[in-house]
Amino acid sequence: MTVNYEAAKRLSQSAEEADRRRVAADQGTAPEILYYLIDDAASGVRAELAGNPATPRQADLRLAEDRAETVRTALALKIAALLPGLSSEQQSKVRDLTLEVLRKLAHDEAMRVRSILSDALATLPDAP
C-alpha cells in the first residue's frame, strides 16, 4: 500500500522498525526517501530496501557493501530478477549502475549471494 510523500517521510523516521520496513518495501515511495533509508540501523529495513525494485541504483551500490548478508542477499535476488529485463534501449546510466552492483555482488564473501547471481546469469545468453 503506497502512502503519500509526507506520510512516508514521517514513517521513515519512526521509532518503530515495522513502519520503516513498510516504507522501504513500498515501490511507490519517493526515491529520496528510499535513499535516506540506506543508513537505517535495522538490517530488516535495509533488506526491504535492497529488495525494492524502486530503490535508486545509487543506493543499491551502497547496499552491495552492506555488513548484513541478508541485505546483500535481498539485493542479489532483485538484481538477478532485473538482469533479463536490461536491454540496449535502456538508459545507459541505469544499466551501468546495475552492472556495477552486479560486479560488487559477484565478489561477495557470502556464497549464497554469489550463487543467486550465478544461477541468474546462467540463463542469459548475453550475460555480462
Side-chain angles (χ1 to χ4, degrees):
M1 174 199 276
T2 301
V3 296
N4 69 43
Y5 184 87
E6 290 303 318
K9 187 175 174 182
R10 187 182 74 257
L11 290 170
S12 71
Q13 298 172 5
S14 171
E16 296 296 322
E17 181 180 338
D19 290 339
R20 299 189 317 274
R21 285 179 78 137
R22 178 177 163 210
V23 173
D26 189 339
Q27 293 185 36
T29 299
E32 62 271 20
I33 294 173
L34 292 172
Y35 193 86
Y36 166 80
L37 289 169
I38 62 176
D39 292 321
D40 197 281
S43 63
V45 173
R46 297 189 317 275
E48 291 288 354
L49 184 63
N52 185 340
T55 297
R57 293 298 163 259
Q58 294 87 347
D60 287 345
L61 280 171
R62 289 201 36 211
L63 292 167
E65 297 174 343
D66 197 276
R67 65 189 175 275
E69 183 178 335
T70 57
V71 173
R72 298 188 318 273
T73 299
L75 182 59
L77 288 167
K78 176 177 75 177
I79 294 298
L82 290 174
L83 283 174
L86 291 177
S87 69
S88 59
E89 293 124 23
Q90 289 182 302
Q91 296 177 347
S92 63
K93 184 175 182 179
V94 172
R95 181 180 171 88
D96 291 346
L97 285 171
T98 301
L99 292 176
E100 180 62 26
V101 172
L102 172 67
R103 282 184 202 98
K104 285 185 179 194
L105 292 173
H107 297 308
D108 197 280
E109 64 187 42
M111 183 178 292
R112 175 156 166 67
V113 172
R114 294 189 317 270
S115 176
I116 289 166
L117 293 179
S118 177
D119 291 346
L121 291 171
T123 64
L124 299 177
D126 59 348

